[in-house]
Amino acid sequence: MHLIWLFASLVVLASAGTSQDSEQKRYDNYRVYELKISNNIQLKIINKLTELSQKYDIWKEYNAHTKQMHVMVNPSEEKRFQLFLRLFNINNELLIPNLQSLIDNESVANARYSTTFGWTRYNSLAEIYTWLDGILAAYPEVTEGSVIGQSYEGRDIRAIKISYKEGNPGVVIESNIHGCEWITSATVTYFINQLLTSEDEQVRALAENHDWYIVPVLNVDGFVYSHEKDRLWRKNRQPSNTSSCIGADPNRNYDSHWMEQGGSSDPCASNYAGAYAFSEPEIKAMSDYIISIKDRLNIFLGFHSYSQLVLSPYGHTDLEFPDNYDDMMQVAKAYADAVEAMPYGSVYQIGSSATVLYFTSGGAKEWAYNEMDIQLSYTIEFRDTGRYGFVLPPAFILPNCEEAMTGLLAMMAESDKLGYLKPKYVL
């Protein structure tokens, strides 16, 4: 095994170079592979490669059940990477042959519809906030805006509350905690719009019989950076005191089994968990916001991409499950079944993070469940399953939005059926 580490290290050192900052990072000829891992040596060698070199990036962590993982490869490493695949007999499939082509196509679509806010393109933070101002002005009797805190770079983190009457059960939605997951804020703005404008009877009931507390973009700095500098930027933008690398993974920074599983202490890692729990201002702001309204909350939802999953706690172990895990799965299944029944036929898997996705701790839904006693707490991973990954083409925004609305209607109905939507406070 030591020889494997030595060989991996030598290859990485041979390919090492100084990264150059540019106006906007390009991904010409970057490739994304799905790897089919059949033994522990293969898994360790791939993890060692990505640990030693920033020229490899894990898009999707190893899943012990599917035996698969997704890895992005810098074109300068392509020959060496192929050598590793052959040497260790790792089966693979090329998912994205040229990542920059997807980004370019996305930019073309964004430019085509640049004069209007909508769901045929991805909107910037400034555009989302301007649209939010318009929503608050148009519906003052049922909406309330707030600033829940500031990011490291001083940007406002905004929330909107939608409430048609007092005494409703409450749902909080956290969106775009990872900068590059643009489909999440696109979907949540669509959802806000539907709650306020839809004439569909089911949507009207959904809107008027629940209070909605929604943060459209939590990781505001990372989101802006992903639009202006690096389309794939995941972390926030707070510097480290021990490294020149920037940012932490906000969804590893909540104070729930922090750093037990799936988080890194390396500030250069994409899953760096921060210097300590709640070290990141965005997560401190979100947690304070939830604490301030926890007595009104029945459900927590975190919107993410990608993989098409509905995930419950726990992430830190696959040997323990929440006391109401069966109910959680019944609600998750309602979401998945409703989405699959749509004409698109999208299939969502359900389960705990540790059993369906990978081990992780310091996440939002675990903190909401464990510390805030929000008995239905989920991560929903939107489209797709890897063909486009984080760079989901704008043509798929509306289909994803429609699926999310249909899934949430079913999820809320099942939650109500099981008795989870009783108001938690007395007027």
Side-chain angles (χ1 to χ4, degrees):
M1 186 62 69
H2 291 298
L3 289 176
I4 292 175
W5 299 156
L6 177 60
F7 181 55
S9 300
L10 289 173
V11 170
V12 169
L13 288 171
S15 65
T18 303
S19 62
Q20 299 291 325
D21 287 334
S22 61
E23 184 66 21
Q24 191 165 31
K25 184 170 182 177
R26 292 187 59 84
Y27 287 90
D28 295 291
N29 300 314
Y30 278 69
R31 292 183 168 189
V32 179
Y33 289 88
E34 180 176 86
L35 306 182
K36 299 170 178 63
I37 305 298
S38 59
N39 59 61
N40 198 42
I41 291 178
Q42 291 178 346
L43 178 60
K44 287 185 176 181
I45 195 66
I46 294 299
N47 283 337
K48 181 58 67 173
L49 275 181
T50 58
E51 176 186 327
L52 292 173
S53 175
Q54 295 183 25
K55 295 185 178 182
Y56 300 92
D57 185 31
I58 295 179
W59 273 30
K60 190 175 180 180
E61 298 277 355
Y62 172 71
N63 184 311
H65 301 276
T66 65
K67 309 295 183 184
Q68 296 173 352
M69 63 193 303
H70 294 174
V71 178
M72 182 181 72
V73 182
N74 185 305
S76 67
E77 291 300 295
E78 181 65 27
K79 289 183 178 179
R80 295 184 182 91
F81 185 65
Q82 291 298 329
L83 173 63
F84 269 102
L85 296 181
R86 291 192 300 271
L87 183 62
F88 293 99
N89 195 30
I90 300 175
N91 292 325
N92 63 92
E93 178 185 350
L94 179 62
L95 297 177
I96 301 175
N98 182 4
L99 181 58
Q100 188 61 43
S101 67
L102 293 182
I103 296 173
D104 290 342
N105 291 339
E106 181 182 73
S107 299
V108 169
N110 287 348
R112 183 182 302 130
Y113 300 103
S114 62
T115 59
T116 57
F117 186 96
W119 297 276
T120 54
R121 69 178 179 94
Y122 291 108
N123 300 288
S124 68
L125 181 69
E127 290 169 329
I128 291 172
Y129 278 3
T130 298
W131 175 82
L132 201 60
D133 288 336
I135 287 292
L136 292 166
Y139 301 94
E141 294 182 357
V142 296
T143 65
E144 179 184 339
S146 60
V147 175
I148 67 170
Q150 278 74 41
S151 66
Y152 170 76
E153 293 180 341
R155 293 182 175 90
D156 285 345
I157 304 168
R158 297 179 61 177
I160 180 173
K161 176 186 177 183
I162 300 174
S163 177
Y164 281 83
K165 61 178 182 289
E166 287 292 327
N168 282 334
V171 183
V172 62
I173 300 177
E174 167 207 89
S175 176
N176 239 136
I177 192 172
H178 294 133
C180 60
E181 296 173 4
W182 293 2
I183 189 60
T184 62
S185 51
T187 302
V188 86
T189 51
Y190 174 91
F191 185 67
I192 291 168
N193 191 64
Q194 288 293 298
L195 291 178
L196 296 168
T197 67
S198 176
E199 297 179 358
D200 179 89
E201 288 185 8
Q202 286 184 297
V203 177
R204 291 269 36 90
L206 187 72
E208 296 172 14
N209 295 318
H210 308 86
D211 285 352
W212 299 92
Y213 303 85
I214 300 172
V215 178
V217 182
L218 177 56
N219 181 6
V220 287
D221 293 348
F223 185 64
V224 170
Y225 195 82
S226 71
H227 274 263
E228 297 179 355
K229 294 292 185 179
D230 184 349
R231 175 62 182 86
L232 296 182
W233 189 262
R234 171 184 175 89
K235 301 193 286 184
N236 67 357
R237 296 293 299 167
Q238 178 164 256
S240 165
N241 291 329
T242 60
S243 170
S244 61
C245 292
I246 300 293
D249 182 339
N251 205 38
R252 303 292 186 274
N253 192 239
Y254 282 91
D255 192 9
S256 179
H257 298 275
W258 180 78
M259 276 294 292
E260 285 186 20
Q261 291 274 10
S264 175
S265 59
D266 177 6
C268 296
S270 62
N271 60 344
Y272 173 51
Y276 50 88
F278 294 142
S279 62
E280 307 311 298
E282 299 84 4
I283 299 310
K284 185 63 167 63
M286 187 70 197
S287 62
D288 286 347
Y289 178 58
I290 291 176
I291 289 169
S292 73
I293 57 175
K294 70 174 183 176
D295 293 337
R296 297 172 178 251
L297 296 179
N298 301 69
I299 296 179
F300 169 89
L301 301 174
F303 287 175
H304 289 252
S305 73
Y306 60 97
S307 286
Q308 296 177 194
L309 305 169
V310 184
L311 302 172
S312 78
Y314 297 119
H316 70 283
T317 178
D318 60 357
L319 301 177
E320 299 176 15
F321 298 89
D323 291 339
N324 63 330
Y325 184 70
D326 288 344
D327 285 354
M328 284 185 160
M329 290 302 97
Q330 188 170 329
V331 171
K333 187 176 185 299
Y335 184 105
D337 287 350
V339 171
E340 187 173 0
M342 295 179 69
Y344 305 115
S346 298
V347 176
Y348 273 67
Q349 292 180 280
I350 66 171
S352 71
S353 288
T355 59
V356 173
L357 189 58
Y358 47 69
F359 289 105
T360 179
S361 59
K365 69 180 181 300
E366 282 76 18
W367 178 79
Y369 181 81
N370 289 328
E371 308 303 328
M372 295 294 101
D373 194 32
I374 303 175
Q375 289 295 295
L376 294 180
S377 295
Y378 297 95
T379 292
I380 302 178
E381 296 273 0
F382 292 140
R383 288 189 180 203
D384 58 1
T385 56
R387 173 63 183 86
Y388 301 105
F390 298 115
V391 193
L392 188 70
F396 294 108
I397 295 174
L398 277 172
N400 188 84
C401 292
E402 293 165 3
E403 289 174 342
M405 175 58 77
T406 298
L408 288 171
L409 283 167
M411 172 178 271
M412 299 303 291
E414 197 67 24
S415 301
D416 189 27
K417 176 182 173 183
L418 293 174
Y420 285 94
L421 293 184
K422 297 175 182 176
K424 295 180 70 175
Y425 68 103
V426 179
L427 294 175

